[in-house]
Coordinates of all heavy atoms in Angstrom, one line a residue:
A87 N 0.8 -1.2 0.0 CA 0.0 0.0 0.0 C 0.9 1.3 0.0 O 1.9 1.3 0.8 CB -0.9 0.0 1.2
A88 N 0.4 2.2 -0.8 CA 1.2 3.5 -0.9 C 0.4 4.6 -0.1 O -0.7 4.6 0.0 CB 1.3 3.9 -2.4
S89 N 1.3 5.4 0.5 CA 0.7 6.6 1.1 C 1.6 7.8 0.8 O 2.6 7.7 0.3 CB 0.8 6.4 2.7 OG 2.1 6.2 3.1
G90 N 0.9 9.0 1.0 CA 1.6 10.3 0.7 C 0.7 11.0 -0.4 O -0.5 10.8 -0.5
I91 N 1.4 11.9 -1.1 CA 0.6 12.7 -2.1 C 0.6 11.9 -3.4 O 1.7 11.8 -4.1 CB 1.3 14.1 -2.3 CG1 1.4 14.8 -0.9 CG2 0.6 14.8 -3.4 CD1 2.1 16.1 -1.0
I92 N -0.5 11.4 -3.7 CA -0.6 10.5 -4.9 C -1.6 11.2 -5.9 O -2.8 11.2 -5.6 CB -1.1 9.1 -4.5 CG1 -0.1 8.5 -3.6 CG2 -1.4 8.3 -5.7 CD1 -0.5 7.2 -3.0
R93 N -1.1 11.7 -7.0 CA -1.9 12.2 -8.0 C -2.3 11.3 -9.1 O -3.3 11.5 -9.8 CB -1.2 13.5 -8.6 CG -1.1 14.7 -7.6 CD -0.3 15.8 -8.2 NE 1.1 15.6 -8.4 CZ 2.0 15.7 -7.5 NH1 1.7 16.2 -6.3 NH2 3.3 15.5 -7.8
S94 N -1.3 10.4 -9.3 CA -1.6 9.4 -10.4 C -1.0 8.1 -9.9 O 0.1 8.0 -9.4 CB -1.0 9.8 -11.7 OG 0.4 9.9 -11.6
L95 N -1.8 7.0 -10.2 CA -1.3 5.7 -9.9 C -1.4 4.7 -11.1 O -2.5 4.5 -11.6 CB -2.2 5.1 -8.7 CG -1.8 3.8 -8.1 CD1 -0.5 3.8 -7.5 CD2 -2.8 3.4 -7.0
N96 N -0.4 4.3 -11.7 CA -0.4 3.6 -12.9 C 0.0 2.1 -12.7 O -0.6 1.4 -11.8 CB 0.5 4.3 -13.9 CG 0.0 5.7 -14.2 OD1 0.7 6.7 -13.8 ND2 -1.2 5.9 -14.7
A97 N 0.9 1.6 -13.5 CA 1.3 0.2 -13.5 C 1.8 -0.2 -12.1 O 2.5 0.6 -11.4 CB 2.2 -0.2 -14.5
M98 N 1.6 -1.4 -11.7 CA 2.1 -2.0 -10.5 C 2.6 -3.4 -10.7 O 2.1 -4.1 -11.6 CB 1.0 -2.1 -9.4 CG 0.2 -0.9 -9.2 SD -1.2 -1.2 -8.0 CE -1.9 0.5 -7.8
G99 N 3.5 -3.9 -9.9 CA 4.0 -5.2 -10.1 C 4.6 -5.7 -8.8 O 4.8 -5.1 -7.8
W100 N 4.8 -7.1 -8.9 CA 5.6 -7.8 -7.9 C 6.8 -8.5 -8.5 O 6.6 -9.1 -9.7 CB 4.7 -8.8 -7.2 CG 3.6 -8.3 -6.3 CD1 2.4 -7.9 -6.6 CD2 3.9 -7.9 -4.9 NE1 1.8 -7.4 -5.5 CE2 2.7 -7.4 -4.5 CE3 4.9 -8.0 -4.1 CZ2 2.4 -7.0 -3.1 CZ3 4.8 -7.6 -2.8 CH2 3.6 -7.1 -2.2
H101 N 7.9 -8.5 -7.8 CA 9.1 -9.2 -8.2 C 9.5 -10.0 -7.1 O 9.1 -9.7 -5.9 CB 10.2 -8.1 -8.6 CG 9.7 -7.1 -9.6 ND1 10.1 -7.0 -10.9 CD2 8.8 -6.1 -9.5 CE1 9.6 -6.1 -11.5 NE2 8.8 -5.4 -10.6
R102 N 10.5 -10.9 -7.4 CA 11.1 -11.7 -6.2 C 12.6 -11.9 -6.6 O 13.0 -12.0 -7.7 CB 10.3 -13.0 -6.1 CG 10.4 -14.0 -7.1 CD 9.5 -15.1 -6.9 NE 9.6 -16.2 -8.0 CZ 8.8 -17.2 -8.1 NH1 7.9 -17.4 -7.2 NH2 8.9 -18.1 -9.1
Q103 N 13.3 -12.2 -5.5 CA 14.7 -12.5 -5.5 C 14.9 -13.7 -4.6 O 14.9 -13.5 -3.3 CB 15.6 -11.3 -5.3 CG 17.1 -11.6 -5.5 CD 17.9 -10.3 -5.6 OE1 17.4 -9.3 -5.1 NE2 19.0 -10.4 -6.1
A104 N 15.3 -14.8 -5.1 CA 15.7 -15.9 -4.2 C 17.1 -15.9 -4.0 O 17.9 -15.2 -4.7 CB 15.3 -17.3 -5.0
P105 N 17.6 -16.5 -3.0 CA 19.0 -16.5 -2.5 C 19.9 -17.0 -3.7 O 19.6 -18.0 -4.3 CB 19.1 -17.5 -1.4 CG 17.7 -17.5 -0.9 CD 16.8 -17.3 -2.0
G106 N 20.9 -16.2 -4.0 CA 21.8 -16.6 -5.1 C 21.3 -16.3 -6.4 O 22.0 -16.8 -7.4
K107 N 20.1 -15.8 -6.6 CA 19.5 -15.6 -8.0 C 19.3 -14.1 -8.2 O 19.2 -13.3 -7.3 CB 18.3 -16.4 -8.1 CG 18.5 -17.9 -8.0 CD 17.2 -18.7 -8.4 CE 17.5 -20.2 -8.4 NZ 16.2 -20.9 -8.7
E108 N 19.1 -13.8 -9.4 CA 18.7 -12.4 -9.8 C 17.2 -12.2 -9.6 O 16.4 -13.1 -9.6 CB 19.0 -12.2 -11.3 CG 20.5 -12.3 -11.6 CD 20.8 -11.9 -13.1 OE1 19.8 -11.7 -13.9 OE2 21.9 -11.7 -13.4
R109 N 16.9 -10.8 -9.4 CA 15.5 -10.5 -9.2 C 14.8 -10.8 -10.4 O 15.2 -10.5 -11.6 CB 15.4 -9.0 -8.8 CG 14.1 -8.6 -8.4 CD 14.1 -7.2 -7.9 NE 14.9 -7.0 -6.7 CZ 14.9 -5.8 -6.0 NH1 14.3 -4.8 -6.4 NH2 15.7 -5.7 -4.9
E110 N 13.5 -11.3 -10.3 CA 12.7 -11.6 -11.5 C 11.4 -11.0 -11.3 O 10.8 -10.9 -10.3 CB 12.7 -13.2 -11.7 CG 12.0 -13.9 -10.6 CD 11.8 -15.4 -10.9 OE1 12.0 -15.8 -12.1 OE2 11.4 -16.1 -10.0
L111 N 10.7 -10.7 -12.5 CA 9.3 -10.2 -12.4 C 8.4 -11.4 -12.1 O 8.5 -12.5 -12.8 CB 8.9 -9.6 -13.8 CG 7.5 -9.3 -14.0 CD1 7.1 -8.1 -13.1 CD2 7.2 -8.9 -15.4
V112 N 7.5 -11.2 -11.3 CA 6.5 -12.3 -10.9 C 5.1 -12.0 -11.6 O 4.6 -12.8 -12.3 CB 6.2 -12.4 -9.4 CG1 5.1 -13.3 -9.0 CG2 7.5 -12.8 -8.7
A113 N 4.7 -10.7 -11.5 CA 3.4 -10.3 -12.1 C 3.4 -8.9 -12.2 O 3.9 -8.1 -11.4 CB 2.2 -10.9 -11.3
R114 N 2.6 -8.4 -13.2 CA 2.3 -6.9 -13.4 C 0.8 -6.7 -13.6 O 0.1 -7.6 -14.2 CB 3.2 -6.4 -14.5 CG 4.6 -6.3 -14.2 CD 5.5 -5.3 -15.1 NE 5.0 -4.0 -14.8 CZ 5.4 -3.1 -13.8 NH1 6.2 -3.7 -12.9 NH2 5.0 -1.9 -13.6
I115 N 0.4 -5.5 -13.4 CA -1.0 -5.2 -13.7 C -1.0 -3.8 -14.1 O -0.3 -2.9 -13.5 CB -1.9 -5.4 -12.5 CG1 -3.4 -5.1 -12.8 CG2 -1.5 -4.5 -11.3 CD1 -4.4 -5.6 -11.8
S116 N -1.6 -3.5 -15.3 CA -1.5 -2.1 -15.9 C -2.6 -1.2 -15.3 O -3.3 -1.7 -14.3 CB -1.8 -2.2 -17.3 OG -3.3 -2.5 -17.5
T117 N -2.5 0.0 -15.6 CA -3.4 1.0 -15.1 C -4.9 0.5 -15.3 O -5.8 0.8 -14.5 CB -3.2 2.3 -15.8 OG1 -1.9 2.7 -15.8 CG2 -4.1 3.5 -15.4
F118 N -5.1 -0.1 -16.4 CA -6.5 -0.5 -16.7 C -6.9 -1.9 -16.3 O -7.9 -2.4 -16.7 CB -6.8 -0.3 -18.2 CG -6.6 1.1 -18.6 CD1 -5.4 1.5 -19.3 CD2 -7.4 2.2 -18.2 CE1 -5.1 2.8 -19.7 CE2 -7.1 3.5 -18.6 CZ -6.0 3.8 -19.3
G119 N -5.9 -2.6 -15.7 CA -6.2 -3.9 -15.1 C -5.7 -5.1 -15.9 O -6.0 -6.3 -15.5
S120 N -5.1 -4.9 -17.0 CA -4.5 -6.1 -17.7 C -3.3 -6.6 -17.0 O -2.6 -5.8 -16.4 CB -4.2 -5.7 -19.2 OG -3.2 -4.7 -19.2
T121 N -3.2 -7.9 -17.0 CA -2.2 -8.6 -16.1 C -1.3 -9.5 -17.0 O -1.6 -9.9 -18.1 CB -2.8 -9.4 -15.1 OG1 -3.7 -10.4 -15.7 CG2 -3.6 -8.6 -14.2
N122 N 0.0 -9.7 -16.5 CA 0.8 -10.7 -17.1 C 1.6 -11.3 -16.0 O 1.8 -10.7 -14.9 CB 1.7 -10.0 -18.2 CG 2.7 -9.0 -17.7 OD1 2.3 -7.9 -17.5 ND2 3.9 -9.5 -17.5
Y123 N 2.0 -12.5 -16.2 CA 2.6 -13.4 -15.1 C 3.8 -14.1 -15.6 O 3.9 -14.4 -16.8 CB 1.7 -14.5 -14.6 CG 0.4 -13.9 -13.9 CD1 -0.7 -13.6 -14.7 CD2 0.4 -13.6 -12.6 CE1 -1.9 -13.1 -14.0 CE2 -0.7 -13.1 -11.9 CZ -1.9 -12.9 -12.7 OH -3.0 -12.3 -12.1
A124 N 4.8 -14.3 -14.7 CA 5.9 -15.2 -15.1 C 5.3 -16.6 -15.4 O 4.3 -17.1 -14.7 CB 6.9 -15.3 -14.0
D125 N 5.9 -17.4 -16.3 CA 5.3 -18.7 -16.5 C 5.4 -19.6 -15.3 O 4.4 -20.5 -15.2 CB 6.2 -19.4 -17.6 CG 6.0 -18.7 -19.0 OD1 5.0 -18.1 -19.2 OD2 6.9 -19.0 -19.9
S126 N 6.3 -19.4 -14.4 CA 6.5 -20.3 -13.3 C 5.3 -20.1 -12.3 O 5.1 -21.0 -11.4 CB 7.7 -20.0 -12.6 OG 7.9 -18.7 -12.2

């Protein structure tokens, strides 16, 4: 959750980083609600 002065809120996402691995995208959601996911 975001707090503060918010005039516009657009795309959002989740990423993860496992030990010894690079950060990877898990899922994203656009301003209008379209989504995409990592295959895993």
Side-chain angles (χ1 to χ4, degrees):
S89 61
I91 300 175
I92 299 171
R93 292 179 290 272
S94 65
L95 184 60
N96 299 115
M98 305 176 179
W100 285 95
H101 308 252
R102 67 186 180 188
Q103 187 166 18
K107 295 188 177 181
E108 293 187 353
R109 189 174 298 189
E110 63 174 352
L111 173 68
V112 175
R114 289 200 67 78
I115 184 165
S116 74
T117 306
F118 303 104
S120 61
T121 58
N122 62 283
Y123 297 90
D125 288 342
S126 59

